[in-house]
Amino acid sequence: MTPPPPPPPGPDPGADPDPCPCPGSLVVLFGATAGALGRDLGSDETDLILLVWQVVEPRSRQVGTLHKSLVRAEVAALSTQCREASGLSADSLARAEPLDKVLQQFSQLVNGDVALLGGGPYVLCTDGQQLLRQVLHPEASRKNLVLPDTFFSFYDLRREFHMQHPSTCPARDLTVATMAQDLGLETDATEDDFGVWEVKTMVAVILHLLKESSSQLFSKPEVIKQKYETGPCSKADVVDSETVVRARGLPWQSSDQDVARFFKGLNVARGGVALCLNAQGRRNGEALIRFVDSEQRDLALQRHKHHMGVRYIEVYKATGEEFVKIAGGTSLEVARFLSREDQVILRLRGLPFSAGPMDVLGFLGPECPVTGGAEGLLFVRHPDGRPTGDAFALFACEELAQAALRRHKGMLGKRYIEIFRSTAAEVQQVLNRYASGPLLPTLTAPLLPIPFPLAPGTGRDCVRLRGLPYTATIEDILSFLGEAAADIRPHGVHMVLNQQGRPSGDAFIQMTSAERALTAAQRCHKKVMKERYVEVVPCSTEEMSRVLMGGTLGRSGMSPPPCKLPCLSPPTYATFQATPTLIPTETAALYPSSALLPAARVPAAPTPVAYYPGPATQLYLNYTAYYPSPPVSPTTVGYLTTPTAALASAPTSVLSQPGALVRMQGVPYTAGMKDLLSVFQAYQLPADDYTSLMPVGDPPRTVLQAPKEWVCL
């Protein structure tokens, strides 16, 4: 122990003491780690190795004994900077006490000094915020140590000095030496005991500031939050981009509390942890974290590649818009669900579609009651009201949540249920994913105009059939729909092929009205077709048309058309000519002007319209994207008129008929006339009329306009 220095001269006993706003004693604290020092203290995640402190009684201007204590580090290797500055060695640290013992000694010695000086409750005072926020709190969290309440508030001497002397450099650029120099204080330059000179100089600076008698001095301490506060975020909230970071590499099972613990010592804003989800609704190992101010964000960036368990976490800057996009919500139902304070949120996944609140409560059991009973459950549903199998539950405390987590993979009916910790931001994300988006995710319009018309419709006047047998035909679908087949629009059956040209198991049906579509879905949903149950779901014409434009459809959403990929996109397209056409109102914004068929099925003179460019560019196109349905679905086949020059080569017997030329691509070289006729067996093609089949050369790559009437839908 270093002997205490002589007390500075106190005030005149006969004079009134100077008013001091500080409510109690100050404990001037200095610390060092085995790694970086100064502004980078704590950025390398090394252990604390030194604490030096001294008590100052502001009212009497007296100081206590100066104490210095070494701390045993788990990794005793010292950096070159620390070894040169401190003069310590690994052997001296190996003989020191561990951190928990040093903290106990610290509390005992401080309480004794404060009582000796006649002071009241004490508050820590440090040079900057790194010692407590970046070193002591994170290390205590890693070692599962509980810090006393006195370590959750402190005065930053740099800020206090800057408030009194704002003309100097910014607070973050101040040091103990510069503060003493600005005040004209003489310091002991011969002091070589590491940490002692810093504490003595800080004490001298504090005593000098106390003489200035400012009401703002030591009046508002810095506060370190003891607990992360959950809460909702609204889409209307404005979040400062200087307060948000992105953390990557998180364990998939980590919760918002785990993320907040990784940033222990820094003040995360209420509801400021938003775990990111992938396209399947599962966590992708990333999170957006919002802090209370920019200084906390800057300290968080210094934790880049710090560890959470055995994983290192990358920390980068992010924007407020990204945070609101992930964590913001607009649903009143979600806002009510999240309005309860201090609740633990769990996510249940894989619930039977028929499960209701009482089924879930019975599954959890009486040993882990949900807060509010059925009102503490939030079921996730599709926009049309169909359940997704996901739900969220609120629990009053961590013990009840732990009891519910022990039901992970328990059976409810014939299904096992997965239970995970969740967050308010995850609730918002999952609900936003289903509530605000359409049934089918939207895609941008293709580079080429749509080559087929879709009957106009309003509202959700279509149904989607999902899970069809790959051998299903139009007749099978009509038989499956039964009485509802009478409400199908003419040519309103659309089979969907995958990118390989094979049946995808999906089909879209255009009904005469939204009411008929809903009735058909209710009657036929999960009926069996060839030993497979088929899901029947209402959807809109817009959603259907976007799929038929080439987006591949899966349970997790749609992917872009193959022709949108760089390797499949043609380098350039010829300029399309504008042609007046009849386009449905609700799809006019989706499709550019193109050569769509007129509504009336009467012979019409061909009108010159745009057609596909020459073979040099067609080699790059994947036509499955533009012809996604098999030939039995007539409205999915494109009919474009040819230029006038191409009509001159067509036989008169063909052009005089009330029909059109159809160009077939991908015909096998061995195909004969009968093979071609078998393709058109449902198109009222006269059996002996071979003149209506005409070979088309490469230069004219177009077809005529008016089609024949179709036999089947």
Side-chain angles (χ1 to χ4, degrees):
M1 295 293 181
T2 303
D12 185 0
D16 294 335
D18 294 333
C20 178
C22 186
S25 301
L26 297 176
V27 179
V28 181
L29 183 64
F30 174 84
T33 66
L37 302 175
R39 184 179 299 181
D40 297 328
L41 184 69
S43 62
D44 49 9
E45 206 178 7
T46 54
D47 287 347
L48 186 72
I49 61 170
L50 175 68
L51 281 179
V52 184
W53 68 91
Q54 189 173 17
V55 177
V56 177
E57 215 299 305
R59 298 185 181 277
S60 63
R61 315 291 170 80
Q62 295 181 347
V63 297
T65 305
L66 190 145
H67 302 276
K68 179 178 179 179
S69 179
L70 296 180
V71 183
R72 187 170 63 201
E74 293 182 357
V75 179
L78 299 177
S79 67
T80 303
Q81 180 185 12
C82 178
R83 186 168 54 252
E84 294 177 352
S86 64
L88 298 175
S89 63
D91 294 337
S92 60
L93 293 179
R95 296 190 297 269
E97 295 288 344
L99 179 60
D100 55 343
K101 298 293 184 181
V102 172
L103 293 179
Q104 291 179 5
Q105 295 175 5
F106 171 84
S107 299
Q108 294 173 359
L109 293 174
V110 168
N111 289 329
D113 290 345
V114 170
L116 185 62
L117 296 176
Y122 62 89
V123 182
L124 302 179
C125 181
T126 62
D127 174 31
Q129 306 201 19
Q130 282 83 356
L131 176 60
L132 291 178
R133 293 191 183 274
Q134 296 287 73
V135 177
L136 198 54
H137 279 273
E139 184 173 346
S141 177
R142 293 194 302 268
K143 297 179 178 179
N144 294 320
L145 301 179
V146 179
L147 293 175
D149 293 341
T150 54
F151 287 94
F152 288 88
S153 63
F154 67 100
Y155 290 110
D156 183 354
L157 184 57
R158 299 184 187 184
R159 287 191 174 183
E160 302 296 331
F161 181 87
H162 189 265
M163 284 192 300
Q164 297 295 102
H165 301 271
S167 60
T168 58
C169 59
R172 66 177 60 187
D173 297 330
L174 290 172
T175 64
V176 175
T178 57
M179 287 187 287
Q181 183 179 358
D182 290 341
L183 296 177
L185 300 178
E186 295 183 1
T187 58
D188 187 3
T190 62
E191 181 65 66
D192 58 355
D193 194 358
F194 182 62
V196 174
W197 179 88
E198 286 79 359
V199 171
K200 288 183 177 181
T201 306
M202 291 170 64
V203 170
V205 171
I206 292 173
L207 293 176
H208 190 281
L209 293 178
L210 290 173
K211 294 179 181 179
E212 300 178 1
S213 301
S214 172
S215 60
Q216 296 181 352
L217 186 64
F218 299 115
S219 59
K220 186 177 181 181
E222 302 286 331
V223 177
I224 300 176
K225 290 186 176 181
Q226 298 193 33
K227 183 180 179 182
Y228 167 67
E229 300 175 353
T230 61
C233 175
S234 172
K235 290 288 186 183
D237 291 348
V238 178
V239 178
D240 185 5
S241 295
E242 296 299 318
T243 63
V244 182
V245 300
R246 178 185 294 271
R248 298 177 56 186
L250 298 169
W252 65 268
Q253 71 273 23
S254 58
S255 66
D256 56 347
Q257 298 290 344
D258 297 324
V259 176
R261 185 177 181 180
F262 173 78
F263 291 102
K264 190 70 172 179
L266 305 180
N267 291 344
V268 179
R270 183 174 181 269
V273 177
L275 298 173
C276 301
L277 307 180
N278 59 18
Q280 289 74 38
R282 299 176 184 271
R283 299 171 189 171
N284 62 2
E286 295 189 10
L288 293 173
I289 301 93
R290 176 188 179 190
F291 296 93
V292 296
D293 54 43
S294 59
E295 185 173 7
Q296 308 285 316
R297 194 280 304 266
D298 294 340
L299 293 174
L301 291 173
Q302 293 184 358
R303 301 197 185 183
H304 179 60
K305 292 195 174 181
H306 284 203
H307 288 76
M308 179 185 290
V310 297
R311 298 175 63 95
Y312 72 85
I313 309 301
E314 301 174 2
V315 184
Y316 304 99
K317 291 182 180 180
T319 64
E321 290 78 8
E322 291 175 330
F323 182 84
V324 173
K325 182 179 179 180
I326 295 298
T330 57
S331 172
L332 295 178
E333 182 182 12
V334 178
R336 287 193 296 267
F337 178 78
L338 298 176
S339 61
R340 297 180 175 89
E341 299 290 340
D342 300 328
Q343 297 291 311
V344 182
I345 305 176
L346 297 184
R347 180 179 179 182
L348 288 76
R349 193 166 61 196
L351 295 171
F353 293 152
S354 59
M358 300 310 298
D359 299 317
V360 176
L361 295 177
F363 165 75
L364 294 173
E367 63 275 8
C368 44
V370 176
T371 302
E375 295 182 358
L377 295 174
L378 179 63
F379 288 87
V380 183
R381 301 182 182 276
H382 288 286
D384 57 1
R386 293 182 299 116
T388 64
D390 278 24
F392 295 93
L394 296 175
F395 295 90
C397 61
E398 183 65 28
E399 290 73 16
L400 296 179
Q402 288 289 348
L405 288 170
R406 287 193 286 270
R407 296 285 293 154
H408 178 59
K409 291 196 174 182
M411 300 298 295
L412 177 57
K414 296 182 179 180
R415 298 180 64 94
Y416 72 87
I417 310 303
E418 298 175 310
I419 305 178
F420 306 98
R421 292 182 179 274
S422 186
T423 68
E426 184 175 15
V427 175
Q428 298 280 25
Q429 287 184 79
V430 174
L431 269 294
N432 289 344
R433 184 182 301 275
Y434 290 103
S436 60
L439 177 62
L440 303 176
T442 57
L443 293 173
T444 56
L447 297 177
L448 293 178
I450 262 309
F452 55 86
L454 294 173
T458 58
R460 308 179 71 81
D461 58 348
C462 302
V463 292
R464 169 189 171 192
L465 275 64
R466 188 167 58 191
L468 292 170
Y470 295 142
T471 58
T473 63
I474 295 292
E475 289 75 14
D476 296 327
I477 292 178
L478 297 178
S479 176
F480 172 79
L481 294 176
E483 298 179 358
D487 300 320
I488 301 177
R489 290 176 180 267
H491 320 306
V493 180
H494 306 273
M495 308 285 288
V496 181
L497 295 183
N498 58 23
Q499 296 183 8
Q500 290 73 39
R502 299 186 180 92
S504 65
D506 280 32
F508 288 92
I509 313 295
Q510 289 181 283
M511 310 299 288
T512 55
S513 65
E515 292 76 13
R516 298 294 184 181
L518 180 60
T519 302
Q522 292 174 343
R523 290 181 178 178
C524 303
H525 183 56
K526 291 195 174 181
K527 282 180 56 178
V528 177
M529 177 191 295
K530 296 183 179 181
E531 299 182 354
R532 294 188 58 142
Y533 76 86
V534 179
E535 299 178 2
V536 183
V537 183
C539 67
S540 66
T541 305
E542 176 184 353
E543 294 167 343
M544 177 190 69
S545 62
R546 298 228 175 206
V547 177
L548 298 183
M549 286 164 60
T552 56
L553 182 62
R555 293 183 180 272
S556 60
M558 292 196 309
S559 61
C563 60
K564 300 290 285 185
L565 300 176
C567 60
L568 297 176
S569 299
T572 57
Y573 290 102
T575 303
F576 296 111
Q577 306 174 10
T579 304
T581 55
L582 297 177
I583 304 177
T585 303
E586 62 272 18
T587 58
L590 299 176
Y591 313 136
S593 299
S594 59
L596 299 181
L597 291 177
R601 294 187 175 275
V602 295
T607 304
V609 295
Y611 59 97
Y612 291 118
T617 56
Q618 281 195 349
L619 294 177
Y620 295 92
L621 286 173
N622 185 330
Y623 285 94
T624 304
Y626 292 100
Y627 300 94
S629 300
V632 293
S633 182
T635 59
T636 62
V637 182
Y639 294 90
L640 301 175
T641 57
T642 87
T644 305
L647 297 177
S649 62
T652 306
S653 59
V654 175
L655 296 178
S656 62
Q657 297 178 10
L661 295 179
V662 178
R663 181 174 182 268
M664 302 178 63
Q665 293 186 343
V667 177
Y669 295 123
T670 58
M673 193 67 67
K674 291 186 178 180
D675 298 321
L676 298 178
L677 290 175
S678 64
V679 176
F680 294 95
Q681 61 182 352
Y683 292 81
Q684 285 190 347
L685 184 67
D688 299 328
D689 190 2
Y690 291 90
T691 60
S692 60
L693 292 174
M694 180 184 72
V696 181
D698 282 337
R701 294 182 175 270
T702 54
V703 290
L704 293 181
Q705 183 175 9
K708 291 180 180 291
E709 294 294 333
W710 313 108
V711 172
C712 63
L713 296 173

